[in-house]
């Protein structure tokens, strides 16, 4: 019997009739949910369960929400309650702005009309202690952020108080580069702040580094961030409930928190779906007025198919998704999307577009590690799972064999599987193992700021896997010129709208999708379905 269940029975008198429900709760937690609706009555649980306001002792909390009864562990109940209360406190506070605020806003967004959402996002971020800016790829979240930073600096906020962070090293690196590029495009009157703001961008880090957070401890090991901190967090959909709790606990009362992300992407690898819950709760107290959704996708104006496909997925419109793909059969993708129909669960390597094969060969044949790492930024093969027949491991092995038949493969992509303090390599970092003509091998990676790490002996390399193909989950926070997506079978629990949406939005120019239309139809109409009680906690925080 599960040790937790055994403890609940011995210490808390959990009756045998409740064991099935607790087992379901533990399984749901392992799959990312933080609560479940058990279906069976939960009134006869002894002292093991109690309503929220019946004391803090019971290890299981019974909650009535939306006409249903939920159960949740006390620890996760407390975590979600703290998140809701902290965010409510931020949302209910405004900040002062200078007399030149509106003039600065107009100068930063020249020609924008009164209803421009980027302008509204900047206004909210500069006048509230909490701002939530969402939007799909290419809608200008980073462009807006750069102008928010300039607006704050012009209003008297010292750049030294600003912090940029993201959940992963890859996401932090991309955020740094995008913000630096956008800062270079600031209007001339704001260039006096450029040097300080570019230093802010270069100092962007992972949330784990900023907070000195260890997932095993689930606690912040640092003191609170300095008074007056302005913290901007990108890719918020990737942050789990425990890291959210730590992040909010580290903020001083006068902090300003600006959150960016796309709630339609995959949930965090860890527990919870916090960012999506924040967005859903933002039209009710206490979060009213903090959320602005950007809708105009500027980046993909010459790639209309990616825009259309992303919009249809966001709307769960299976007919539109399948219709677009059927009209884009083959490897010609002038609109940005190509559809390659294959039987379910078949690796379509023989039907990879020539451009994708050439890009993979460019990685293998690159004359030096730097060129190989640059080539890896241009192409990515994505799968739903790591193992299984159409998983990243099997697909990668097929690619390796194909390349080996062409000749010697000098560069072998790898991905790090765990954080390693000694080498300073983080989980999800992609690099190459280079084989020199004399047979010697060394691993090469880029640091968070884009500079090369010193070559690392393969013997000292932490746990890693081949990375000719990677999972969609591990691609979050990254972008590539070309993406080739291999869909799972329709019956796979991984075949969800969020999975497919996340995969196609990794592409900057072209995405090819391989699979069968039944899998696409099923994925488009199926959501991840994680359950939590965070929206219940937001509602409680709004009336307290």
């Amino acid at each position: 019997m599960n040790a937790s269940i055994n403890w609940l029975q011995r210490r808390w008198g959990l009756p045998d009739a409740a064991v099935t429900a607790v087992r379901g709760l533990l399984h749901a937690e392992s799959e990312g949910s933080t609560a479940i609706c058990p279906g069976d009555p939960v009134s006869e649980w002894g002292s093991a369960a109690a309503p929220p306001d019946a004391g803090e002792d019971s290890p299981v909390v019974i909650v009535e929400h939306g006409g249903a009864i939920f159960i949740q562990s006390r620890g996760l109940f407390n975590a979600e309650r703290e998140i809701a209360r902290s965010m409510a406190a931020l949302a209910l506070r405004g900040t002062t702005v200078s007399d030149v605020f509106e003039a600065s806003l107009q100068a930063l967004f020249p020609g924008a009309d009164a209803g421009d959402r980027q302008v509204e996002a900047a206004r909210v971020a500069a006048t509230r202690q909490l701002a939530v800016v969402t939007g799909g790829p290419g809608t200008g979240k980073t462009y807006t952020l750069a102008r928010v930073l300039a607006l704050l600096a012009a209003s008297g906020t010292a750049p030294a108080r600003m912090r940029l962070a993201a959940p992963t090293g890859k996401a932090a690196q991309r955020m740094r580069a995008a913000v630096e590029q956008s800062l270079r495009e600031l209007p001339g009157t704001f260039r006096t702040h450029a040097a300080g703001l570019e230093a802010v961008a270069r100092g962007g880090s992972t949330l784990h580094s900023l907070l000195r957070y260890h997932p095993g401890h689930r606690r912040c090991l640092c003191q609170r961030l300095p008074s007056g901190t302005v913290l901007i967090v990108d890719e918020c959909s990737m942050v789990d409930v425990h890291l959210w709790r730590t992040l909010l606990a580290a903020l001083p009362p006068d902090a300003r928190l600006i959150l960016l992300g796309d709630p339609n992407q995959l949930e965090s690898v860890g527990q919870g779906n916090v960012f999506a819950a924040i967005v859903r709760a933002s039209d009710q107290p206490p979060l009213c007025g903090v959320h602005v959704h950007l809708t105009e996708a500027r980046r993909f104006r010459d790639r209309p198919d990616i825009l259309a496909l992303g919009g249809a997925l966001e709307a769960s419109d299976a007919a539109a998704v399948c219709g677009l793909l059927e009209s884009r059969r083959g490897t010609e993708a002038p609109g940005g999307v190509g559809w390659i129909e294959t039987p379910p669960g078949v690796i379509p390597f023989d039907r990879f577009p020539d451009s994708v094969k050439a890009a993979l060969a460019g990685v293998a044949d690159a004359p030096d590690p730097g060129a190989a790492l640059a080539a890896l930024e241009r192409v990515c093969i994505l799968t739903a799972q790591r193992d299984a027949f159409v998983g990243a491991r099997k697909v990668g092995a097929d690619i390796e064999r194909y390349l080996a038949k062409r000749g010697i493969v000098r560069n072998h992509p790898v991905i790090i599987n765990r954080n390693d303090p000694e080498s300073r390599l983080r989980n999800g970092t992609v690099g190459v193992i280079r084989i020199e003509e004399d047979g010697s091998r060394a691993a090469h990676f880029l640091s968070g700021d884009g500079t090369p790490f010193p070559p690392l002996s393969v013997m000292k390399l932490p746990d890693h896997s081949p990375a000719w193909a990677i999972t969609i989950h591990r691609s979050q926070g990254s972008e590539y010129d070309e993406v080739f997506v291999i869909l799972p079978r329709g019956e796979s629990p991984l075949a969800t709208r969020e999975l497919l949406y996340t995969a196609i939005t990794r592409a900057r120019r072209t995405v090819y999708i391989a699979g069968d239309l039944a899998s696409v139809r099923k994925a488009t109409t199926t959501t991840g379905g994680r359950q939590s009680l965070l929206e219940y906690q937001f509602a409680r925080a709004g009336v307290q």
Side-chain angles (χ1 to χ4, degrees):
M1 181 180 291
N2 183 286
S4 298
I5 295 175
N6 190 23
W7 172 74
L8 286 171
Q9 289 187 309
R10 288 188 295 102
R11 170 66 178 80
W12 295 95
L14 183 76
D16 291 343
V19 168
T20 299
V22 173
R23 187 174 288 119
L25 176 61
L26 294 172
H27 174 73
E29 288 181 357
S30 72
E31 295 291 316
S33 290
T34 62
I36 66 166
C37 184
D40 296 326
V42 292
S43 57
E44 301 297 331
W45 278 41
S47 58
D53 301 319
E56 294 284 327
D57 291 335
S58 62
V60 178
V61 182
I62 304 170
V63 174
E64 184 175 355
H65 175 54
I69 301 296
F70 291 81
I71 58 173
Q72 186 174 39
S73 72
R74 175 66 66 179
L76 284 167
F77 178 88
N78 290 342
E80 291 189 338
R81 180 176 60 186
E82 289 175 24
I83 290 169
R85 288 179 175 177
S86 297
M87 297 203 75
L90 287 169
L92 294 173
R93 299 190 196 116
T95 60
T96 58
V97 295
S98 68
D99 294 337
V100 298
F101 173 75
E102 287 297 331
S104 296
L105 199 57
Q106 292 175 19
L108 285 163
F109 297 92
D113 60 39
D116 189 283
R117 291 181 181 238
Q118 290 185 335
V119 174
E120 181 59 21
R123 180 179 285 109
V124 170
T127 59
R128 304 287 292 262
Q129 280 191 242
L130 175 66
V132 180
V133 182
T134 61
T139 52
K141 295 189 294 294
T142 306
Y143 174 92
T144 303
L145 171 59
R147 278 143 186 80
V148 168
L149 294 175
L151 187 61
L152 292 173
S155 299
T157 301
R161 291 161 58 185
M162 302 176 189
R163 304 285 188 277
L164 299 185
T168 67
K170 191 69 174 179
Q173 181 180 343
R174 189 167 67 85
M175 183 187 194
R176 281 192 295 268
V179 171
E180 280 194 87
Q181 177 60 41
S182 292
L183 288 172
R184 296 188 190 105
E185 301 166 0
L186 288 175
T189 55
F190 294 90
R191 293 301 300 166
T192 56
H193 305 291
L197 295 177
E198 287 173 8
V200 173
R202 290 192 297 273
S205 68
T206 65
L207 279 169
H208 294 73
S209 296
L210 177 70
L211 303 174
R212 287 190 279 165
Y213 173 79
H214 189 286
H217 297 156
R218 293 179 177 172
R219 286 291 184 272
C220 179
L221 302 182
C222 65
Q223 300 298 316
R224 273 188 170 177
L225 294 172
S227 177
T229 292
V230 178
L231 176 59
I232 300 101
V233 184
D234 196 13
E235 296 287 357
C236 287
S237 63
M238 300 170 65
V239 183
D240 69 26
V241 66
H242 305 289
L243 186 50
W244 274 111
R245 182 189 201 181
T246 300
L247 183 164
L248 291 162
L251 293 178
D254 61 348
R256 190 193 306 267
L257 180 62
I258 302 170
L259 306 175
L260 295 92
D262 186 345
N264 294 301
Q265 290 189 22
L266 281 167
E267 308 97 333
S268 60
V269 174
Q271 290 173 317
N273 192 8
V274 175
F275 191 59
I278 291 170
V279 173
R280 288 194 298 268
S282 63
D283 60 351
Q284 299 290 332
L287 301 187
C288 292
V290 305
H291 174 221
V292 180
H293 183 61
L294 306 180
T295 56
E296 185 179 351
R298 296 163 169 83
R299 185 196 309 163
F300 293 120
R301 284 172 175 162
D302 62 342
R303 293 291 188 272
D305 288 352
I306 296 179
L307 276 180
L309 187 57
L313 284 167
E314 189 172 346
S316 296
D317 188 341
V321 170
C322 292
L324 190 152
L325 292 180
E326 283 191 289
S327 68
R328 301 296 186 268
R329 292 177 182 272
T331 58
E332 298 296 325
V337 172
W339 169 242
I340 300 170
E341 189 161 12
T342 64
V346 170
I347 299 176
F349 185 74
D350 59 330
R351 300 178 65 185
F352 274 28
D354 290 342
S355 61
V356 172
K357 290 182 177 179
L360 293 171
V363 175
D365 299 341
D368 58 71
L373 290 168
L376 276 176
E377 295 288 320
R378 294 192 286 270
V379 65
C380 191
I381 313 300
L382 295 177
T383 68
Q385 59 262 79
R386 179 181 177 181
D387 297 307
F389 180 71
V390 290
R393 190 187 299 274
K394 179 67 168 63
V395 173
D398 282 4
I399 293 172
E400 182 88 22
R401 280 193 292 271
Y402 160 77
L403 293 170
K405 289 178 181 177
R406 296 173 54 262
I408 298 173
V409 178
R410 296 204 178 278
N411 307 295
H412 299 256
V414 292
I415 186 167
I416 300 300
N417 294 328
R418 62 174 176 82
N419 295 337
D420 182 60
E422 184 175 347
S423 65
R424 295 183 292 117
L425 293 172
R426 300 195 66 84
N427 182 17
T429 302
V430 175
V432 295
I433 294 177
R434 169 81 173 177
I435 303 176
E436 301 294 353
E437 292 185 4
D438 61 3
S440 63
R441 300 187 304 160
H444 300 263
F445 298 86
L446 295 179
S447 65
D449 61 3
T451 59
F453 271 107
L456 186 66
S457 166
V458 175
M459 298 298 293
K460 295 182 178 180
L461 201 58
D463 182 32
H464 61 282
S465 303
W468 289 111
I470 63 175
T471 64
I472 296 166
H473 244 305
R474 302 198 82 177
S475 75
Q476 282 187 274
S478 300
E479 290 180 350
Y480 309 89
D481 290 342
E482 289 189 288
V483 171
F484 193 96
V485 183
I486 302 174
L487 295 178
R489 295 174 181 267
E491 62 269 21
S492 169
L494 297 174
T496 65
R497 177 176 63 85
E498 294 89 348
L499 182 99
L500 184 51
Y501 179 90
T502 301
I504 70 160
T505 54
R506 299 310 91 204
R508 283 189 287 256
R509 291 175 47 207
T510 308
V511 57
Y512 300 98
I513 304 170
D516 66 292
L517 287 175
S519 297
V520 172
R521 198 170 290 110
K522 187 261 185 184
T524 304
T525 56
T526 303
T527 61
R530 288 187 178 183
Q531 290 185 301
S532 85
L533 289 173
L534 188 53
E535 288 172 80
Y536 160 84
Q537 296 288 9
F538 279 128
R540 280 167 57 96
V543 298
Q544 290 176 353

